[in-house]
Amino acid sequence: MKTEYLKERKVIMRKLKINNNEVAFFAVGGLGEIGKNMYAVQFQDEIVIIDCGVLFPEDDLLGVDYVIQNYDYLVENKDKIKGIFITHGHEDHIGGLPFFLQKVKAPIYSGPFAISLIKGKLEEKHLLRETEFHEVDEFSEVHFKKLWVSFFRTTHSIPDTLGIAVHTPQGTIVQTGDFKFDLTPVGNLPAPNMQQMAKLGEEGVLLLTSDSTNAERPEFTKSERWVDIHVRKVFQRIKGRIIFASFASNVYRLREASDEAIRQGRKIAVVGRSMENAIVAGRELGYLKIPDDALIDPSELNSYPPEQVMIMCTGSQGEPMAALSRIANGTHRQIAIQPGDTVVFSSSPIPGNTTSVNNLINRLEEAGANVVHGYVNNIHTSGHGGQVDEEIMLRLMKPKYFAPVHGEYRMQKIHTELAQLTGVPKQNTFILENGDVLALTKDSARIADHIESMGNVYIDGRDVNDSVGDPEIRERRMLSEEGVVTAIAVVDLKDFQIVAGPDIVSRGFVYMHESQDLIRAANHEVFWAILNTFKNHKNIDRRILNRTIVSRLQKLLYDRTGRHPVIIPMVTIINGDSGKSKHHKKGHSKKQEDKSKAETPVTAE
Amino acid sequence: MKTEYLKERKVIMRKLKINNNEVAFFAVGGLGEIGKNMYAVQFQDEIVIIDCGVLFPEDDLLGVDYVIQNYDYLVENKDKIKGIFITHGHEDHIGGLPFFLQKVKAPIYSGPFAISLIKGKLEEKHLLRETEFHEVDEFSEVHFKKLWVSFFRTTHSIPDTLGIAVHTPQGTIVQTGDFKFDLTPVGNLPAPNMQQMAKLGEEGVLLLTSDSTNAERPEFTKSERWVDIHVRKVFQRIKGRIIFASFASNVYRLREASDEAIRQGRKIAVVGRSMENAIVAGRELGYLKIPDDALIDPSELNSYPPEQVMIMCTGSQGEPMAALSRIANGTHRQIAIQPGDTVVFSSSPIPGNTTSVNNLINRLEEAGANVVHGYVNNIHTSGHGGQVDEEIMLRLMKPKYFAPVHGEYRMQKIHTELAQLTGVPKQNTFILENGDVLALTKDSARIADHIESMGNVYIDGRDVNDSVGDPEIRERRMLSEEGVVTAIAVVDLKDFQIVAGPDIVSRGFVYMHESQDLIRAANHEVFWAILNTFKNHKNIDRRILNRTIVSRLQKLLYDRTGRHPVIIPMVTIINGDSGKSKHHKKGHSKKQEDKSKAETPVTAE
């Protein structure tokens, strides 16, 4: 299967099927989904890439750390790539760079905050030295042969967010990046530059590709100023220690919390590496106003009364290894929940994290903390604009053609309707999928081609070479939906004897104590599978053995239960040619388990 | 009093106390209040006026039809006035023109919808022929010697609303007019031109003077598109006749109702002169899409089943003479409420009208109609932007200096805070009052002068010469709060006899049947006042007689009740020198009563 999959991917080595005078816009990620954004504008032999993110899998992608794009087309055409333009420093926009840059060398153009985050990532992969960086701001221009790129300042939940305009001989293609119109940002953080957007609109935008995340919300997204007011109110009610949890990259939120803590005379202890980095970067770039003497080391916390400290930490999404989870579990080295502590979640759970966040809150409350939730207490607002923000962008840009990006299909669809309500003719709007190639001239647009972009690449280690394919994921999903049945046996090749087992162990399939008949029957099938294999093949072929066990068990279990559990044959062979037990497992973490299963694709055939 | 008041107004005949290089912005109406907007920009010998509205008095200005500005300064300097620029056709922006144009001849610059409304007004006053009109749109420019004026398209609850930019040698002064950012207006009505606003901002706005009406609402004002959706929903539930009431000038609303009625196969009958005019104008200008055969005469209503007709009428504010009140009262010539009728109020009561609207609703329901209210059913939205709209304007204009207009003090104050949150330095914001003269250069602003603008002019007839002063209004307020006591007597001068009375009639003071003692005592006081006056003055002096009656009654009534009713002596003298009864009243309408009282100021001394 895996081989076939790779072969299929080779087919796409080709040129775009567009006319020579047409400019192409396409996405290899970010359409029909929230995550792994990666957009490209191509005119003749020049390609400009916008963003290169990862997708964080939801619970149904078991054991997968990230999903990245299938960007084979771009790799094949890497000589045309002029640069990778980064709108902002969130993982779903920069997280793919450490993988992509292993395949393609291209300069990176980005604002300062994203650059500092990207550099950290590339350093881990030893890619930093060989990568060329160009720091840009809203007034920069980058000129290539026939394409040139300009920027416009927007606001989002991370500083230095830029929209990108790619100027082509056929007209200007605008990619908004993630945005909301925060008209009153906190501190000295800058506001959206509406003049730049209106000017692009006035000069003429051929194609607008705009953030669709909150297209389902019929509202104007509230400003961080509004959160600021409510953070103050919440803080003023808190008598004991404050444990403030939010995304480290949301420097706005860190600003609001630190300003108010300092006003209250609290010292600030920072916990968690990404939070430490964010505080350092935020202070360096002038976004945070925390004087040296307001910062203390977590080890000093006990020297201050509870009402004089605030702990800022990561882990607001319930990430098990982040500081807040460890604090909740009592496994943090320096910090334990005390009675009177208040944990402030200045965040809301990302879909898919709801359960882990709820569990975290339960554990915090069990440990004696008060918990203040984000949306309920008005101490969170989205980084993405709602329908009103999206309409403002449309009215400012007045695009001739429109393609909603950064969203699932239903969000793209509503966003397209908003475009029509703001004057874009229906036939000029396009709900694209990843891989669709929109070919444009100054007075035409059509979906002219489709490059292979499906077959997502799943990363469950830390390197692009750990990638697994769609079939594996399909199997893992089945695992989670139908359960798993493991058949264990030890066969001694010396005297062709089953010296242990067969035993049947199941998880998530049937309750074993109530299914003794079924288990006995399964045992029987495995026994006969082993004996038959031995009978037919003197020198045992493990592949045939496994396949036989699987097919016999599959038939039995489906006949009796109507279900298709994942079947894992674990036959250990002793005194054979290899002389080694192949399936003996040492690790016990979930991830390692999942990986070992992935290495034994059984049902995928 | 009245003479003194007029004398006081003569004092202000003077020049502005500003430097020759400074440009002045001031209001004679519209600041600290909602209504009678009238703003002016003056540079040296050129004055540009923006709007000329009236204020509709609330209930505490009894018997007053309109309040207009004290614009003596402008009248005195009428030779400098280059033009009157009208932002839109609402009464609080154009209603003062028939009065002002009697004093000052100046050309009017305005969009087409307002011009048609103004022409109607001036025709009534026979001012139409002598007035010069210039129809402008968002792309017009009007050049004078050193000032020139440009426009930008906004949206409001009436079509053809324009913001105005006055370009001066020191910089550009922007007056937004009334606005909201309706990004998705209904029908083919145009959206705000954000490019024009951003361009003004990019080129540099010296002073922004912006609509503050909804500065207390922390929201983005909903689009008419949203109302449209809910009008449809409401209409779809209605089985019988629909009686649709809204402001005639809100052509957006008329569009929504007529489109949906036509979709439902209903014929439309239009009732009320201003509604008829609005339908004609709206169809002419292409804002309404009502085919000829969808319109029927109200007399034809009974030829159609109830589910096939809609009546569009005026009177949504409970105006007693408007169609809807007459329908509710059963006094309308052609239309009476039938069981099954549904009256849809696509409006909300203007503050001050709440009581009369509630009364109207009660009467409609008593007559058997269902009533659908505006805000509750989402079939009304404000024409003025909330805080978000105001912030968008501020961000687009990026003004150096800011002065909130069109609002009461608390709205101006909040609007000033919004300006500061969007980057205008606090010392660059000015909460002006009517008459304050803000003097600006390209890098300075100060309140340099104050012209007399107080002493509002109250119009209770239909002409500027019917104006009454502040003291009269004070008296009328007392009348409403403390009641009125009228002393009536007839004195025959031939034989110095009281031939009838004295009788005491009171309204709103005490319940007479329970106060016989007090009435008797009052009678006694009047009797003695008349006798004493006769005794001391052979040829009776009416002024002295009245004053004596008032002072005796005042003392008595205050001693006994602690209250200060308005006292009206109505002594009719027969066979005297004048030989005529002076106080005999014929009219019985409230208005006429109020007028006659106003001509007899008694307590004001």
Side-chain angles (χ1 to χ4, degrees), chain A residues 110-336:
Chain A
S110 172
F113 200 84
I115 281 192
S116 74
L117 294 171
I118 294 167
K119 283 187 172 168
K121 284 182 174 298
L122 297 188
E123 197 153 30
E124 285 176 14
K125 294 279 176 207
H126 312 293
L127 287 163
L128 185 55
R129 252 206 345 210
E130 56 195 275
T131 306
E132 185 184 322
F133 283 95
H134 299 273
E135 188 174 307
V136 295
D137 64 22
E138 61 191 290
F139 303 111
S140 305
E141 287 184 4
V142 181
H143 289 262
F144 304 115
K145 209 170 57 193
K146 291 191 173 166
L147 300 180
W148 66 278
V149 178
S150 69
F151 307 86
F152 53 95
R153 180 157 36 83
T154 62
T155 42
H156 184 43
S157 47
I158 186 170
D160 290 344
T161 300
L162 294 169
I164 289 171
V166 184
H167 304 267
T168 82
Q170 294 295 350
T172 301
I173 294 178
V174 170
Q175 213 292 294
T176 61
D178 295 7
F179 74 93
K180 65 175 171 181
F181 283 94
D182 190 341
L183 302 170
T184 56
V186 289
N188 50 355
L189 287 137
N193 192 330
M194 298 175 82
Q195 281 72 31
Q196 291 185 309
M197 304 181 211
K199 198 172 174 214
L200 282 167
E202 195 57 30
E203 289 166 0
V205 169
L206 180 64
L207 172 68
L208 175 65
T209 71
S210 183
D211 175 8
S212 311
T213 312
N214 281 343
E216 292 173 301
R217 296 198 192 168
E219 65 196 16
F220 181 78
T221 295
K222 289 206 163 63
S223 167
E224 282 293 333
R225 176 78 51 184
W226 175 87
V227 175
D228 188 40
I229 291 165
H230 289 92
V231 164
R232 277 191 209 195
K233 283 189 189 169
V234 165
F235 275 27
Q236 281 162 9
R237 291 197 307 263
I238 299 176
K239 298 282 171 261
R241 297 198 304 184
I242 296 172
I243 301 175
F244 187 86
S246 93
F247 280 115
S249 62
N250 193 334
V251 172
Y252 302 87
R253 214 55 62 73
L254 308 187
R255 171 79 189 237
E256 292 148 20
S258 58
D259 278 5
E260 182 57 20
I262 290 166
R263 258 192 296 268
Q264 290 194 356
R266 291 178 187 261
K267 301 289 182 191
I268 298 170
V270 180
V271 178
R273 194 162 60 97
S274 63
M275 188 61 84
E276 285 163 16
N277 292 343
I279 299 282
V280 169
R283 292 177 77 204
E284 264 177 23
L285 295 169
Y287 297 148
L288 298 176
K289 301 284 181 205
I290 309 177
D292 287 340
D293 66 359
L295 284 171
I296 59 170
D297 191 82
S299 63
E300 299 177 78
L301 276 167
N302 292 333
S303 322
Y304 293 88
E307 69 276 14
Q308 286 180 19
V309 295
M310 174 171 74
I311 298 159
M312 296 180 88
C313 66
T314 52
S316 62
Q317 291 298 316
E319 306 93 319
M321 300 308 291
L324 190 56
S325 279
R326 289 184 286 130
I327 292 171
N329 293 335
T331 57
H332 193 274
R333 197 164 47 85
Q334 293 168 305
I335 300 169

Side-chain angles (χ1 to χ4, degrees), chain B residues 338-368:
Chain B
Q338 303 171 357
D341 281 357
T342 302
V343 182
V344 178
F345 281 81
S346 191
S347 60
S348 74
I350 291 173
N353 290 351
T354 317
T355 311
S356 44
V357 172
N358 287 344
N359 289 340
L360 174 59
I361 291 172
N362 289 338
R363 294 201 310 279
L364 288 166
E365 290 186 336
E366 282 161 19

Side-chain angles (χ1 to χ4, degrees), chain A residues 183-185 191-198 201-202 220 222 225 388 391-392 395-398 418 421-422, chain B residues 183-185 191-198 201-202 218 220 225 388 391-392 395-398 418 421-422:
Chain A
L183 302 170
T184 56
N193 192 330
M194 298 175 82
Q195 281 72 31
Q196 291 185 309
M197 304 181 211
E202 195 57 30
F220 181 78
K222 289 206 163 63
R225 176 78 51 184
V388 174
E391 288 167 0
I392 293 172
R395 285 289 180 193
L396 287 170
M397 292 290 179
K398 298 193 302 183
L418 299 181
L421 289 178
T422 58
Chain B
L183 301 170
T184 56
N193 191 329
M194 298 174 83
Q195 281 72 30
Q196 292 184 310
M197 303 181 211
E202 195 57 29
F220 181 78
R225 177 77 51 183
V388 173
E391 288 167 1
I392 293 172
R395 285 289 180 193
L396 288 170
M397 292 289 178
K398 297 194 302 183
L418 299 180
L421 290 178
T422 58

